[in-house]
Amino acid sequence: MQAALTVLGRREEAPGPSLDLRNTDLRGAYLHKAQLSFGILEGVHLQGATLSYAQLDSARLEDAQLQGANLYQTQLLKAHLDRAQLQKTHLLATKLQYATLYETQLQEAILEHVDLRHAGLYHTQLQGATLLNTRLDSAGITESEWRGAECDAQTTWPDWFDWRAAGVRLRDD
């Protein structure tokens, strides 16, 4: 199975049907540098998978299970992560510009150097999340739950958002 995933992950973007892996069990899969842009990954199980440097731009990851996945420098521009499960996941230098994260579960996740500009975080759950040098300055973050989340002084917020009133606390370094 890993050999098949390696071949699929190395494919070049080409016109034609998108890769359809919906509801596939890929727990622990090694997808380092995988080319999965525009892929259909709805409901996929990727718990503990390695997706470092993977290209998932415009991928459909609704209802995906990504708990504990390695998302180091993963490209998720314009990806659809509605209702995805990312609890306790470490997102490091992950690109999520223009992504949708409606009702996404990010409780206790670590978002470090994550770019969420223009992303939609509506009804997103971020209780206990840690945001270090993360860009949210033009994200839509309405009606999300932030209680117990931490940020650092380098985290940028939309001008209109009162992160302290939302329950986010400044981390003491």
Side-chain angles (χ1 to χ4, degrees), residues 116-119 121 131 134-142 146 155-164:
L116 284 154
R117 286 176 294 161
H118 307 289
L121 283 85
L131 298 105
T134 292
R135 295 209 53 189
L136 290 141
D137 49 326
S138 55
I141 55 178
T142 57
W146 295 89
T155 299
T156 59
W157 298 94
D159 292 336
W160 57 267
F161 183 69
D162 186 347
W163 54 273
R164 286 186 174 95

Side-chain angles (χ1 to χ4, degrees), residues 57-168:
D57 297 334
S58 298
R60 310 266 340 171
L61 287 149
E62 293 96 336
D63 301 303
Q65 303 290 316
L66 291 153
Q67 300 95 328
N70 176 350
L71 297 174
Y72 176 68
Q73 292 200 7
T74 304
Q75 298 287 325
L76 288 153
L77 307 172
K78 298 182 183 177
H80 302 273
L81 289 146
D82 300 340
R83 298 171 308 283
Q85 305 291 314
L86 290 150
Q87 298 95 330
K88 298 184 180 180
T89 300
H90 190 170
L91 293 88
L92 177 59
T94 304
K95 305 291 185 201
L96 283 155
Q97 295 100 314
Y98 298 96
T100 60
L101 293 101
Y102 177 76
E103 294 184 351
T104 302
Q105 305 295 310
L106 283 158
Q107 297 96 327
E108 299 181 41
I110 299 170
L111 289 81
E112 189 172 357
H113 297 282
V114 174
D115 194 337
L116 284 154
R117 286 176 294 161
H118 307 289
L121 283 85
Y122 309 108
H123 299 278
T124 300
Q125 302 299 310
L126 290 136
Q127 299 96 321
T130 302
L131 298 105
L132 305 172
N133 201 10
T134 292
R135 295 209 53 189
L136 290 141
D137 49 326
S138 55
I141 55 178
T142 57
E143 299 188 41
S144 292
E145 186 61 55
W146 295 89
R147 274 180 285 125
E150 292 186 319
C151 69
D152 64 2
Q154 286 72 46
T155 299
T156 59
W157 298 94
D159 292 336
W160 57 267
F161 183 69
D162 186 347
W163 54 273
R164 286 186 174 95
V168 180

Side-chain angles (χ1 to χ4, degrees), residues 26-31 45-51 67-71:
L26 300 173
R27 287 176 242 219
Y30 184 76
L31 295 165
H45 290 269
L46 284 163
Q47 296 97 324
T50 297
L51 292 157
Q67 300 95 328
N70 176 350
L71 297 174

Side-chain angles (χ1 to χ4, degrees), residues 30-50:
Y30 184 76
L31 295 165
H32 175 74
K33 294 187 178 180
Q35 299 295 321
L36 300 170
S37 293
F38 301 98
I40 302 168
L41 300 154
E42 297 166 11
V44 70
H45 290 269
L46 284 163
Q47 296 97 324
T50 297

